[in-house]
Amino acid sequence: MKIRNNIIYGLIFILLFLTISIIFYKTTVNIAQPYGDFTERESMYYAPVIDTVYFGVISRYPSNVIYRGYQPIMDYLTKNTDYHFELLLSDSYDETVNQLVSGEAHAAFLGSYIYVQAHDLHGIICILKPLNENQEPFFRSVLITHPRTGIKSIKDLSGKRLALPSQQSFSGNWLPISLLDKNDISIDDLGAVQFFPFHQSVVYEVLRGNFDAGAVKDRVAQEYSDRGIDVFAYSDPIPGSPIVVPRDYDEAIVKAIMNALLAIDPADPEYSALIRDWDPEFAHGFVPAHNEDYNTIRDILRQFGENR
Amino acid sequence: MSVIHAIRSSLKLQIVLIIGGVITVLMMIISLGILVQWRSLIIQQQEENAQSIATAFSIPVLDALIFGEHTRIITGDLLESHINNFRKNVEGIKYISIVNDSQRIIAHSDLSLYNELITDETTVRVSRSESPMSSIFEDNQYGWVLETVVPLQIAGKRWGAAFIGFDAEPTRKKIRDLFYLLFAVTFFVTGSTIGVLYYLIDKIMSSLNDLVHEVDKIDLESDNAPALQPRKDEIGFLIRHFELMKERLVQSKHQLENAQRQIYQAEKLASIGRLASGVAHEVNNPLNGIRFCMYNIQRDISNREQTEQYLLLINEGINHIESVVKKLLGYARQQSRSYEPVDINKALHTVLGLLDYRIKQKKITINLNLDDQIDKIQADPNLMQEMLMNLILNSVDAIEHSGNITIHTLKTGDNKIVISIKDDGIGIPKENLKKIFDPFFTTKETGQGTGLGLSVTYGIVESHGGSIQVSSIPGEETEFSITLPMEEVA
């Protein structure tokens, strides 16, 4: 009787334990869970309710790089003006100038060299130029190499292969050639010279060993400084790549762009967080640009032309 | 009901149920806590993995879309190729879907879905989220799926979203394995704990049972009762204290017996005192006769025939005195208790003989209705006489002037004898009936009674394994009935 009772109690215990366990099992292995709460953002590109300002960009970088560095600037302008800003990419520097001239683009990021040409030919007007990390409105072109080449100075370039960015960029064209001239090296002394569409392409070619040296903007060289490139020459300070508008610009748009971008104070934590994802060239603020600022380039061009 | 009764009546079961229940509940809570925590971690880890993979997948997709947009090249083939390569190289992917920002499918691992418009409200909503998100659900076609959606977006520029469905069955298997492991651990720990608990309690209970059985064997009558086996644990502690208690009990018993003996003797002496007048009368009458005979002998001492007759009378008187004194001495003698066959009827006659004077003095009629068939009982003869003396004296005292005392003896069918002593005296008030066997309870005047008679009688009956009952109608009658077993009391 006692044993029977004990067996009954044991069975009751096991039954209870199993029942609870089965309930737990069913609950545990049912891992279904819906999507959590999230902020749904209506795309500004598919439902613009305000005037769209198309912002051209010269093809100094690949499209995806341009989107990653310039799209946040468009978002900032959209948020801080009464306009909706959208990037207008191009395949070449000239195409961006043409977009401005044709009215397709209301404003654009141009290079310093192409601006000088566009101003003289089409009356393109510069309105803003970026500051560098020292809060100066300049940039430099730099010559880069890989340590394996043994190049230490411009004089070592004799017989070496040189990679350059677009012929319509200051970095990729006139400045390095001018530097070569100053160091008594002619183009013919070089082993090879080739132009590439983007500054990044120049860096990759040097890293791959296809070319011994290259010329890029200082901000690009800085971006790849941890990939094993050496900078062995710097240009003089050059006025920064300007933001430009066409001759028949819309004053309201220009005012909106200038007000929004001049308000940026990189020292202010609110802005520093905001511009963190911007292209480094534009992540230190802006100052107003004037056509005369770019006379430095005109002087270099003139000098090169005289020497040539 | 029987289960509840069994639980209530078993301390062992109660302890096992309570402690076992608490352990079970605690183990289940702990296991459940671990299970919930680990389950959450497993799912979170799988979601993070899925989102990392989906993000890695989305980067070239995004570049392809930008490239396609910029170069006006149709990127569909490129995306399909990327999807296929990705599925080949990453295990556990059930489907991949790329939708544009108009919620139209522009690439899918199932090409039949190409260009379909997504209409499901939730899918449309999550395709617009700004960060990677995950959901787990059971799908009719793919089974358990961990679906991750990653936006194809750079800052505010959006091209669409990529949905990747990962096989969630391995995740479920991990959780299932974890459940089985915790279930086994819980069951084993709980079961073994309860088992050990049951064993220990059973051992304790067994020791207690042994103690109880040993206690049952203890005979306070015998000083040679076996001692319990000494132990070093708590049960041994209990046994040691029980032995001490037993010694105190034996000691108390001896003291009680001594006190009882003294009380019996005191009461006996008290009753002798009450018999004294009767005894004096019994002795005095023959003495007067002897004095008369002596006087007549002295007057005519030469009359030999007369002298011989008077000497016979003197001898008869001396014999009578000797008989009375012998009875009194026999009653008053303090003897150690001894059990021997006692004839109750004969004892009754002896006691009545001692009380003869007082009975006659009060003009009491004794009605004897004795059963000749009753056998002798095993009892202490002195205590039996004292018991009968106390009861008959009580009846005599209850009758003020004249009355009747009826005495019955009877043998019952269950080998017992019943002695009934009934008087038609003053009776006992109802409120005193419960007190009359208490020591020193008396309604008699000071000096007339000790209040110990009935108490002693009760003790004698009890010590002989019998019982005593009293019934009374105040002013009419009182009857004491004593039932005694005929065999020797163990």
Side-chain angles (χ1 to χ4, degrees):
Chain A
M1 188 70 179
K2 187 181 171 188
I3 293 170
R4 202 189 72 177
N5 280 346
N6 287 343
I7 290 170
I8 290 171
Y9 300 140
L11 286 175
I12 289 172
F13 169 76
I14 291 169
L15 201 64
L16 199 67
F17 189 85
L18 286 176
T19 307
I20 295 170
S21 299
I22 287 168
I23 294 169
F24 285 164
Y25 176 79
K26 290 279 183 190
T27 311
T28 305
V29 296
N30 182 8
I31 58 173
Q33 55 183 51
Y35 283 106
D37 294 330
F38 61 92
T39 310
E40 181 185 347
R41 176 172 164 182
E42 287 294 336
S43 170
M44 63 181 75
Y45 288 86
Y46 286 90
V49 290
I50 49 178
D51 292 339
T52 300
V53 174
Y54 289 97
F55 222 113
V57 187
I58 55 170
S59 57
R60 58 166 64 110
Y61 307 135
S63 307
N64 55 344
V65 175
I66 289 177
Y67 267 120
R68 290 195 170 91
Y70 289 70
Q71 183 61 42
I73 305 174
M74 297 299 102
D75 293 348
Y76 169 77
L77 289 171
T78 300
K79 191 178 176 185
N80 291 281
T81 66
D82 295 330
Y83 300 94
H84 172 78
F85 284 81
E86 193 163 334
L87 285 174
L88 190 62
L89 272 59
S90 63
D91 291 332
S92 67
Y93 287 39
D94 286 336
E95 187 180 348
T96 302
V97 173
N98 291 336
Q99 286 166 345
L100 282 166
V101 172
S102 69
E104 193 182 349
H106 300 92
F109 293 98
L110 285 191
S112 300
Y113 169 69
I114 189 77
Y115 162 71
V116 171
Q117 285 187 320
H119 174 78
D120 294 344
L121 288 174
H122 305 291
I124 300 295
I125 300 166
C126 61
I127 56 171
L128 292 169
K129 55 184 177 181
L131 295 169
N132 62 20
E133 59 191 355
N134 299 318
Q135 292 294 290
E136 297 165 338
F138 302 109
F139 77 96
R140 290 170 192 266
S141 275
V142 296
L143 286 172
I144 60 168
T145 185
H146 192 274
R148 66 172 171 264
T149 63
I151 297 173
K152 300 291 181 189
S153 68
I154 294 171
K155 289 180 180 175
D156 297 334
L157 285 175
S158 182
K160 303 294 184 182
R161 295 162 295 174
L162 185 65
L164 297 173
S166 170
Q167 277 183 298
Q168 290 175 305
S169 72
F170 191 85
S171 301
N173 196 352
W174 301 107
L175 188 61
I177 292 171
S178 169
L179 277 174
L180 289 173
D181 196 47
K182 281 183 183 175
N183 287 277
D184 296 329
I185 298 174
S186 71
I187 286 284
D188 297 335
D189 293 332
L190 298 175
V193 176
Q194 188 171 333
F195 294 93
F196 293 90
F198 312 122
H199 286 251
Q200 281 83 355
S201 305
V202 172
V203 176
Y204 292 142
E205 289 299 324
V206 171
L207 287 173
R208 287 180 191 125
N210 293 333
F211 287 82
D212 300 309
V216 291
K217 295 183 84 163
D218 53 358
R219 98 116 182 93
V220 177
Q222 199 171 9
E223 184 182 337
Y224 290 89
S225 58
D226 61 345
R227 298 284 297 270
I229 59 169
D230 285 343
V231 175
F232 64 93
Y234 293 85
S235 73
D236 292 330
I238 303 299
S241 303
I243 292 175
V244 302
V245 292
R247 189 202 319 253
D248 53 345
Y249 61 86
D250 185 321
E251 282 189 20
I253 293 174
V254 170
K255 190 178 177 186
I257 293 171
M258 289 187 73
N259 285 343
L261 293 179
L262 288 173
I264 292 169
D265 177 8
D268 186 335
E270 184 187 346
Y271 284 108
S272 60
L274 177 76
I275 63 181
R276 192 177 51 210
D277 296 330
W278 291 20
D279 187 290
E281 189 173 4
F282 304 111
H284 303 290
F286 294 86
V287 290
H290 306 286
N291 185 44
E292 312 85 74
D293 299 341
Y294 294 88
N295 287 341
T296 314
I297 296 173
R298 290 188 178 96
D299 290 344
I300 293 170
L301 287 175
R302 197 177 305 115
Q303 187 184 352
F304 175 71
E306 286 171 0
N307 293 339
R308 213 169 171 182
Chain B
M1 283 300 284
S2 62
V3 173
I4 293 170
H5 177 74
I7 291 169
R8 281 183 177 167
S9 61
S10 169
L11 190 61
K12 179 169 72 177
L13 209 55
Q14 286 176 28
I15 294 171
V16 169
L17 277 178
I18 292 169
I19 298 180
V22 168
I23 289 169
T24 306
V25 170
L26 280 178
M27 279 303 297
M28 279 188 158
I29 289 172
I30 292 168
S31 297
L32 197 61
I34 294 171
L35 184 65
V36 169
Q37 190 68 24
W38 285 10
R39 177 182 181 273
S40 173
L41 285 174
I42 288 170
I43 292 174
Q44 188 184 346
Q45 188 190 35
Q46 296 300 316
E47 284 183 345
E48 286 173 1
N49 286 345
Q51 289 181 7
S52 297
I53 293 171
T55 303
F57 171 80
S58 73
I59 292 170
V61 170
L62 196 53
D63 286 347
L65 288 172
I66 292 170
F67 178 74
E69 181 186 74
H70 183 58
T71 58
R72 314 291 194 272
I73 293 172
I74 297 170
T75 53
D77 292 353
L78 190 60
L79 294 176
E80 296 296 350
S81 173
H82 181 50
I83 287 172
N84 279 337
N85 285 332
F86 204 76
R87 290 189 70 196
K88 276 181 191 170
N89 290 296
V90 180
E91 284 185 2
I93 293 178
K94 295 213 165 188
Y95 62 84
I96 297 176
S97 174
I98 299 171
V99 299
N100 64 19
D101 217 25
S102 303
Q103 281 72 52
R104 195 169 289 281
I105 295 173
I106 57 173
H108 199 289
S109 51
D110 180 0
L111 286 173
S112 65
L113 296 173
Y114 177 73
N115 211 30
E116 278 201 9
L117 188 66
I118 293 172
T119 53
D120 177 63
E121 190 182 339
T122 305
T123 310
V124 169
R125 278 186 64 238
V126 297
S127 72
R128 289 176 176 163
S129 75
E130 289 194 301
S131 54
M133 297 186 68
S134 295
S135 166
I136 303 173
F137 54 87
E138 189 173 17
D139 185 81
N140 290 334
Q141 183 182 354
Y142 297 110
W144 279 94
V145 173
L146 192 170
E147 186 181 80
T148 295
V149 56
V150 58
L152 300 172
Q153 174 179 331
I154 294 176
K157 174 71 173 175
R158 189 182 187 91
W159 285 266
F163 290 82
I164 303 183
F166 295 90
D167 186 4
E169 198 52 51
T171 307
R172 291 187 80 223
K173 186 178 179 305
K174 275 187 184 176
I175 293 170
R176 204 161 41 230
D177 291 347
L178 173 65
F179 178 88
Y180 291 147
L181 176 70
L182 288 173
F183 177 84
V185 169
T186 305
F187 191 80
F188 175 75
V189 171
T190 306
S192 55
T193 305
I194 291 175
V196 170
L197 188 71
Y198 187 89
Y199 169 76
L200 291 175
I201 292 170
D202 197 53
K203 200 173 173 187
I204 292 170
M205 290 301 170
S206 173
S207 298
L208 283 175
N209 277 337
D210 291 346
L211 183 66
V212 169
H213 288 145
E214 293 299 323
V215 167
D216 286 345
K217 288 180 192 170
I218 289 171
D219 182 10
L220 291 177
E221 298 293 335
S222 169
D223 292 338
N224 299 324
L228 294 170
Q229 283 293 105
R231 297 168 59 129
K232 290 182 178 175
D233 55 11
E234 286 80 358
I235 299 295
F237 178 77
L238 198 59
I239 289 171
R240 285 196 296 280
H241 281 266
F242 181 79
E243 289 289 347
L244 290 174
M245 186 185 76
K246 185 182 135 189
E247 285 174 15
R248 288 198 298 275
L249 277 175
V250 171
Q251 202 174 359
S252 296
K253 182 173 171 287
H254 288 321
Q255 288 173 349
L256 182 65
E257 283 175 349
N258 284 335
Q260 268 184 338
R261 203 173 295 121
Q262 288 169 6
I263 288 171
Y264 291 171
Q265 194 58 29
E267 173 58 18
K268 191 180 280 183
L269 292 174
S271 60
I272 288 169
R274 291 157 74 187
L275 292 171
S277 59
V279 171
H281 180 77
E282 289 290 333
V283 173
N284 213 27
N285 279 347
L287 281 176
N288 285 335
I290 290 168
R291 188 177 291 116
F292 175 75
C293 290
M294 293 286 287
Y295 174 75
N296 286 329
I297 288 171
Q298 283 174 345
R299 279 182 58 190
D300 188 9
I301 200 163
S302 59
N303 189 344
R304 183 178 179 86
E305 187 180 348
Q306 180 187 277
T307 299
E308 286 178 354
Q309 285 178 351
Y310 280 123
L311 284 174
L312 283 173
L313 286 173
I314 287 169
N315 190 46
E316 192 177 329
I318 289 169
N319 284 341
H320 185 71
I321 290 168
E322 186 185 35
S323 167
V324 169
V325 171
K326 195 183 283 182
K327 281 179 185 174
L328 192 61
L329 283 175
Y331 178 68
R333 189 168 55 233
Q334 189 173 6
Q335 292 177 322
S336 59
R337 186 176 292 186
S338 66
Y339 286 84
E340 55 190 70
V342 176
D343 185 340
I344 288 296
N345 289 344
K346 190 177 175 183
L348 271 168
H349 282 295
T350 305
V351 171
L352 286 172
L354 284 169
L355 290 170
D356 185 55
Y357 174 76
R358 291 203 65 186
I359 290 168
K360 285 177 181 168
Q361 190 184 34
K362 282 202 166 185
K363 297 176 183 171
I364 293 169
T365 305
I366 299 293
N367 302 310
L368 281 175
N369 190 4
L370 305 181
D371 186 352
D372 296 334
Q373 301 302 314
I374 62 172
D375 300 320
K376 291 180 179 177
I377 64 167
Q378 283 295 121
D380 185 311
N382 286 313
L383 292 179
M384 286 295 104
Q385 278 190 27
E386 189 170 352
M387 175 187 79
L388 296 170
M389 174 68 79
N390 286 337
L391 292 175
I392 295 169
L393 259 177
N394 216 53
S395 293
V396 169
D397 290 341
I399 296 169
E400 289 179 341
H401 299 299
S402 64
N404 295 289
I405 294 175
T406 306
I407 300 172
H408 287 272
T409 56
L410 179 69
K411 181 182 179 184
T412 64
D414 53 350
N415 213 25
K416 290 178 179 175
I417 64 163
V418 177
I419 306 160
S420 167
I421 299 168
K422 186 165 82 174
D423 66 72
D424 52 2
I426 58 173
I428 303 169
K430 191 177 178 184
E431 63 271 19
N432 288 345
L433 276 178
K434 290 180 181 175
K435 305 177 192 170
I436 57 172
F437 295 112
D438 294 345
F440 305 107
F441 177 79
T442 181
T443 56
K444 294 171 185 169
E445 292 176 8
T446 306
Q448 295 296 309
T450 59
L452 290 171
L454 287 177
S455 172
V456 167
T457 301
Y458 181 84
I460 293 169
V461 173
E462 283 280 299
S463 68
H464 283 77
S467 63
I468 182 167
Q469 289 180 321
V470 60
S471 62
S472 179
I473 301 170
E476 290 187 19
E477 64 175 36
T478 300
E479 181 176 11
F480 286 89
S481 285
I482 297 162
T483 305
L484 291 169
M486 293 181 73
E487 68 270 18
E488 187 175 4
V489 177

